[in-house]
Amino acid sequence: MPSSSAPRLLGPAEVRALAAELDLRPTKQRGQNFVIDANTVRRIVRDSGIVADDVVVEIGPGLGSLTLALLEVAGRVTAIEVDPLLAERLPATIAEYAPDQAANFEVVLADALRIAAVPGPPPTALVANLPYNISVPVLLHMLALLPSLQRGLVMVQAEVADRLAATPGSKTYGVPSLKASWYADVRRAGAIGRNVFWPAPNVDSGLVAWTRREPPVTTATREQVFAVIDAAFAQRRKALRGALRAIAPAEQIDAALAASGVDPMARGEQLRIAEFIRIAEGLPDLRPTRNEQVPADQVSDA
């Protein structure tokens, strides 16, 4: 039986040729910046730690640059693409550049923020160049939707990478840091220059790696804990005792803070996820707040 040959990767000429064929004009609205450097996608795959047994889910595959590099290593890749033009073209690109791996690939035409299920075997890893304008909500949605995910590596705007991996007390610590920490241990995994993209973005990029861990043991639901986090950072300069009045009666807030051992005059950026959990456990009458994810227009403010 002949051995399979490795996929060929896309370079600048191939990316531009595909874009020209599709009459594609990358849009900022969809965060379309395509990687044109083979070394960069190989680095992402290498640093992600995926192996031949992994089932990888990729968000926003675009023209297929990272997809082809993933197929060099992973046992299966399922790509979720919101753009019908790109989703329709991608299987042909895989068949041309990775014919021996084409059977291990599937593209799903869907909005990654709204998808309710991923077809095929349960994904074990998430590796993606996430659209910058929705990177945090997409990551949180995938972590909630797919408990089978064990690890991942995503490329996001450098500022967002800092926020996701931030620790308590730092200027960048906030809603993204805390909500991501509910699901996983998160760390900064490197920087990516602007010249590896077409078109080149106006911001720097960063890599964020994460490893799944068991969810916290608590009597509070994730939604309740996230509601406390949202309230604590909705008015970032307010002390917790005042900030939490948006979601619970004052007497419950005082009792919950006392029981949790948290200083009522502390601010959200000083607390770890465990302290938010203890506070939520003491607030049985939480009032509904916004969606538990981080809205796209608040990612940089969270």
Side-chain angles (χ1 to χ4, degrees), residues 23-34:
D23 194 23
L24 176 67
R25 294 172 177 81
T27 67
K28 184 177 180 182
Q29 180 184 5
R30 287 186 171 167
Q32 290 176 325
N33 300 95
F34 303 113

Side-chain angles (χ1 to χ4, degrees), residues 281-292:
E281 289 172 342
L283 296 174
D285 299 327
L286 277 180
R287 291 191 284 265
T289 60
R290 71 189 190 212
N291 186 285
E292 67 172 77

Side-chain angles (χ1 to χ4, degrees), residues 23-94:
D23 194 23
L24 176 67
R25 294 172 177 81
T27 67
K28 184 177 180 182
Q29 180 184 5
R30 287 186 171 167
Q32 290 176 325
N33 300 95
F34 303 113
V35 180
I36 57 174
D37 179 62
N39 288 330
T40 296
V41 291
R42 281 203 174 106
R43 172 191 170 190
I44 291 171
V45 172
R46 182 183 67 247
D47 290 353
S48 73
I50 63 169
V51 295
D53 291 338
D54 275 312
V55 177
V56 177
V57 61
E58 181 189 8
I59 310 299
L63 293 169
S65 299
L66 178 57
T67 315
L68 289 164
L70 287 167
L71 285 167
E72 279 189 323
V73 178
R76 178 182 172 87
V77 176
T78 301
I80 301 171
E81 176 56 62
V82 70
D83 189 320
L85 188 69
L86 294 172
E88 184 179 355
R89 181 61 174 86
L90 195 52
T93 302
I94 301 304

Side-chain angles (χ1 to χ4, degrees), residues 146-176:
L146 301 171
S148 60
L149 291 173
Q150 294 303 307
R151 60 192 174 282
L153 185 79
V154 294
M155 179 159 56
V156 296
Q157 184 176 335
E159 179 187 3
V160 175
D162 291 339
R163 291 180 183 278
L164 282 166
T167 54
S170 63
K171 289 182 179 180
T172 52
Y173 186 69
V175 175

